[in-house]
Amino acid sequence: MNEPPAHPTPMIETHDVVKVYADGKVRALDGVDLTVGPGEFVAVTGPSGCGKSTLLGLLAALDTPDSGTIRVGSHDLVRLQDSDRFRRQAVGLVFQLHNLLPRLTVLENVEIAMMGSDRPRGDRAGHAARLLEGVGLGAMADRRPPQLSGGERQRVAVARALANDPPLLLADEPTGSLDSRSVATVLALFEGLRADRGVTVVLVTHDGDVAAAADRIIPMLDGRVVGA
Amino acid sequence: MTLFTLAVGNLRAKKARSAGIAFAVALAVMTVVTLSVVSSGLEQAAAAVLTIGKADFTVAQKGVSDIIYSSLDDRQVAAVQESPGVESAVGVLVETERIDAANPLFIEIGIQPGDLSAFGVSVIAGRAYGADAADEVMLGWQAARDLGLHVGDRFRANGTTNTVVGIYSTGISYGDLGAMFPLPAIQAYNRVPGSVTLVFVKVASGYSVVKVQAALESAHPELTTIRTASEFGRADRNIVFLRAAVTGSTILALLIGAIIVGNTMLLSLFERTREFGLLRAIGWSRGRVVTLVVSESLLLAVLGSSLGVALSYLVTFALESLPQLHGVLHASFSEGALLRGLVVGMGMAVLGSLYPAIRAASLTPVKALSHE
C-alpha cells in the first residue's frame, strides 16, 4: 500500500523542498521529496506541526518554497507566473473548515469559483447544479450554508473545488470536524472522484482511519516525508 | 451570478454599515451640491445685471471686489463711445436698495431717458421720466405687479418719495424686477456726480465683437470687458473668491468623505479577511478582488449621491425660506452642480475604497484563511 505506482509523468513531483518560518527559526519543511501519480488517492499523515498543511499550501501555490522544486502536472510552481490561474484551473481545494460564504446559496457558493474562469457565464449555474447533484445535494441548491449539516457543507466545498474540473484535488483535514457518518460519505466521494473522473486526490489528515481510505499513505515527521 | 449581483448581495448582508457609508456620501454630496447651487445662484443674480442692456458686451472698472462698486467717469464713458467699432455706449449707474422684507436687494438703475431705447427699454404705460426730474421713477412691470403700484402712485426709494410716471419692460426678468431713475438724480443721491457703474456697448455691424473688446482693453488697461456671465469674474472679484471657496469646500468634502468611506471599508475588510482569503485561494485574481470591493463602494456612492442631491433640494428650499435669506438666496440647480456632486460621490468611493481594496487583494490566502 505504501509503494508509489510507476507512472511516466507524475501529477506531483517535489524535490528537496524547504520552507522556513520566523526568520529561519522554524523549519516547517526540511527537504521534502514526493511523487504522486495521476489518478492516485494519497493521504499525507503525521502529527500536528509536522508540515502536512504547509506542504499542501505549496502544492496549491498558496505559498512558495524557500528552496527545492515543485511540479504539478505541467506547472513548475517555483517559476509560476500566474498562481491565480493555476489555482483556478489546475487544483481544487477543500479545507477543514468548509469556508463557504454564509450569505450565498449553496449553488452560488459553487458558482463563485467559476467567476473569472473560461466557462461561459450562461453555463455556470447549470454546471454548479450538476456538481451538486454529483455530491448528492441537488435538492439543496437554494439553501444557505447555515441550513446544512457539517457533512453537507463539506460536500458543497468538494463541489466548489471541482467547479473548474481540476485534475488535482487537495484536501486539508476535510473530515476533521465531521461525525463518522459524514466522514464516510466524504471519503466515498473522494474515492468516487478518483475512480470515475481520474482526479488525483491528496488528502492531509492526522487520523489514521481516514488515511486508510487512500491508495497510499505518505507519513511525515518534523518537516520530512518518512518511510513512504 | 455576476460580480454586480455579488456586490449587491454583500451590501445587503451588512445593511447598517452600507447605510452608514451611503449616508456619509450623501452628506458630502449634499454639502457640495448645496454650496454649488447657492454660489451659482448668487453668481447668476450678480451677472444678471449684464443682461439687461442687451449689449454685445459690458465695460466695467477692472479689479473691483464687487461689480456694483465699478466706477467710470464721463471721460471714460466718452472714450468708450469713441472707440472704433462702437455703435452705442450707454453708461448706467446700478445700485441695490432694501425696499422691504420681500425685496432686500431691489435693483435701481440710473439712466438718461435718451438712452432708454438703446438700452432696450420699452415704456409700456405712462411716460419716461424727465432728464433732470428729482422725484420721478419708472418701475419694471414685474416690480410694479409685485409691489401693487401703478402710474401715478408714490414709491419711496433712492432717498426720496417718487412719483411713478411710467412702467417699462426690458424683456429681461431681472431688469423688470427693478426701477429706473434719471441718472443725475441717482448720482446725486449716491454722491457720485458724473460717474456710472457700467457701460453697455453695442458693436457696429461689420465689426468683430471680440476684436472691439480687445482693442478697448488694450487702449484702456484700467477697464475690463465682459461678454458672457462666465466672464463675470474678470470684473467681480467676489465671484472669484466665491468660486474658490466652493472649490475648496468640494475638495475638503471629498477628502473627509474618502477618509470616512476608507475607514469603514477597512473595518469591513478586517471582518471579511477569511472571505477574501478564500476567494484568492480558489483562484480569484487580485484585480477581481479589487473590482469587487470598489464596485461595492461605487454602488453605495450612487445610492448616497442620489440621496445627497435629494437632501440638497430640501436644504436649499429650507434656506430660501429663512426670513434672513428670503430674496437674497436664489438657488440654481445647474448640470454643473449635479455633476460636481456626482464627481465628489464617486471620487469618495474610489479614493476611500482603493486602499482597502488593494489591502484585501494583497492578503496572503494562507494567513487570511487562518484569520479568526
Side-chain angles (χ1 to χ4, degrees):
Chain A
M1 190 166 181
N2 288 341
E3 289 303 314
H7 290 293
T9 50
M11 172 58 72
I12 298 170
E13 191 169 29
T14 72
H15 177 64
D16 199 21
V17 172
V18 174
K19 182 69 184 175
V20 295
Y21 293 115
D23 297 330
K25 292 173 187 165
V26 177
R27 212 166 172 84
L29 295 179
D30 190 12
V32 172
D33 295 309
L34 178 68
T35 303
V36 178
E40 260 200 289
F41 177 8
V42 301
V44 180
T45 64
S48 293
C50 72
K52 308 184 294 292
S53 294
T54 300
L55 176 62
L56 205 75
L58 296 182
L59 295 177
L62 291 170
D63 208 345
T64 51
D66 292 303
S67 65
T69 60
I70 305 175
R71 288 196 72 83
V72 172
S74 60
H75 303 276
D76 179 348
L77 298 198
V78 176
R79 293 181 175 80
L80 199 59
Q81 294 294 315
D82 188 348
S83 60
D84 300 329
R85 177 177 285 272
F86 170 79
R87 283 197 297 274
R88 202 162 52 238
Q89 294 181 340
V91 293
L93 290 172
V94 180
F95 310 95
Q96 178 177 1
L97 298 170
H98 47 79
N99 284 317
L100 301 179
L101 300 180
R103 62 181 168 279
L104 300 185
T105 64
V106 163
L107 186 83
E108 289 168 337
N109 264 289
V110 178
E111 207 183 334
I112 200 170
M114 291 179 241
M115 293 178 78
S117 74
D118 297 332
R119 187 179 294 280
R121 190 176 291 172
D123 294 349
R124 291 175 190 167
H127 184 59
R130 285 191 293 277
L131 288 168
L132 287 171
E133 289 285 350
V135 298
L137 295 173
M140 298 185 177
D142 293 332
R143 294 195 187 178
R144 295 183 195 278
Q147 297 171 293
L148 305 182
S149 69
E152 288 167 342
R153 289 178 203 171
Q154 202 58 289
R155 281 148 66 192
V156 176
V158 172
R160 180 182 63 196
L162 299 172
N164 295 313
D165 303 318
L168 173 63
L169 189 72
L170 302 172
D172 189 4
E173 300 278 9
T175 57
S177 57
L178 302 182
D179 58 58
S180 58
R181 192 173 159 196
S182 297
V183 169
T185 306
V186 170
L187 290 177
L189 202 56
F190 289 157
E191 175 53 33
L193 290 173
R194 185 194 66 78
D196 302 336
R197 302 169 66 148
V199 174
T200 305
V201 179
V202 177
L203 168 69
V204 162
T205 181
H206 65 274
D207 186 328
D209 291 339
V210 171
D215 299 335
R216 180 160 64 101
I217 293 174
I218 301 170
M220 286 188 71
L221 186 66
D222 297 333
R224 288 174 172 272
V225 172
V226 289
Chain B
M1 185 173 59
T2 62
L3 200 71
F4 176 77
T5 56
L6 183 63
V8 171
N10 288 341
L11 296 177
R12 290 178 64 179
K14 297 281 183 185
K15 288 189 181 71
R17 175 161 301 151
S18 300
I21 295 177
F23 193 63
V25 173
L27 286 180
V29 169
M30 180 201 73
T31 305
V32 168
V33 172
T34 304
L35 274 172
S36 293
V37 299
V38 167
S39 79
S40 173
L42 290 172
E43 195 172 329
Q44 280 185 20
V49 68
L50 303 177
T51 63
I52 303 173
K54 293 181 181 172
D56 290 318
F57 63 86
T58 308
V59 181
Q61 184 185 351
K62 192 184 252 178
V64 289
S65 61
D66 188 321
I67 200 165
I68 214 91
Y69 299 140
S70 164
S71 179
L72 290 81
D73 59 28
D74 291 341
R75 185 182 50 79
Q76 288 171 311
V77 174
V80 172
Q81 280 170 333
E82 288 160 11
S83 292
V86 172
E87 181 182 299
S88 68
V90 177
V92 301
L93 198 149
V94 182
E95 64 171 3
T96 56
E97 182 179 357
R98 180 182 174 84
I99 299 296
D100 53 33
N103 296 280
L105 291 171
F106 190 76
I107 186 158
E108 296 169 352
I109 299 170
I111 180 170
Q112 294 286 23
D115 288 332
L116 288 173
S117 178
F119 199 57
V121 178
S122 305
V123 180
I124 58 176
R127 61 170 174 81
Y129 43 69
D132 298 319
D135 57 358
E136 290 185 352
V137 64
M138 286 201 305
L139 291 177
W141 68 270
Q142 288 189 53
R145 181 200 59 193
D146 294 348
L147 296 167
L149 296 175
H150 305 88
V151 173
D153 288 344
R154 309 289 279 173
F155 175 58
R156 177 83 190 167
N158 204 24
T160 185
T161 301
N162 305 276
T163 302
V164 179
V165 296
I167 308 293
Y168 69 83
S169 169
T170 61
I172 306 291
S173 180
Y174 189 76
D176 294 339
L177 283 163
M180 291 189 181
F181 296 83
L183 185 57
I186 210 166
Q187 285 173 331
Y189 174 67
N190 286 285
R191 296 193 178 96
V192 285
S195 290
V196 295
T197 314
L198 302 166
V199 178
F200 291 80
V201 175
K202 280 189 180 159
V203 173
S205 65
Y207 283 87
S208 158
V209 173
V210 176
K211 285 182 179 172
V212 172
Q213 275 185 277
L216 218 156
E217 288 192 354
S218 174
H220 302 280
E222 77 282 10
L223 303 179
T224 189
T225 62
I226 311 154
R227 192 152 67 95
T228 61
S230 62
E231 293 177 354
F232 193 58
R234 293 167 62 183
D236 195 317
R237 290 172 64 195
N238 281 345
I239 295 298
V240 177
F241 296 142
L242 190 62
R243 286 176 186 161
V246 171
T247 302
S249 305
T250 301
I251 293 169
L252 199 62
L254 182 65
L255 290 177
I256 293 172
I259 289 168
I260 293 171
V261 171
N263 195 37
T264 314
M265 292 295 281
L266 268 176
L267 195 63
S268 170
L269 159 72
F270 186 73
E271 289 178 0
R272 293 168 67 187
T273 300
R274 283 183 71 91
E275 175 187 332
F276 293 128
L278 170 76
L279 294 176
R280 297 279 293 121
I282 63 175
W284 272 45
S285 65
R286 286 189 171 88
R288 185 164 289 271
V289 173
V290 169
T291 305
L292 175 67
V293 176
V294 174
S295 299
E296 290 175 15
S297 194
L298 280 174
L299 280 169
L300 291 176
V302 170
L303 190 69
S305 298
S306 307
L307 181 65
V309 170
L311 284 173
S312 176
Y313 270 98
L314 291 175
V315 167
T316 308
F317 178 75
L319 287 174
E320 283 181 320
S321 304
L322 286 174
Q324 299 92 327
L325 297 177
H326 185 70
V328 178
L329 202 61
H330 301 283
S332 170
F333 277 87
S334 62
E335 289 173 4
L338 299 180
L339 184 67
R340 193 185 280 256
L342 195 66
V343 166
V344 166
M346 296 299 160
M348 278 173 66
V350 173
L351 282 179
S353 64
L354 211 52
Y355 173 65
I358 291 170
R359 270 197 66 170
S362 303
L363 287 169
T364 308
V366 174
K367 285 183 182 170
L369 283 169
S370 62
H371 181 82
E372 293 299 332

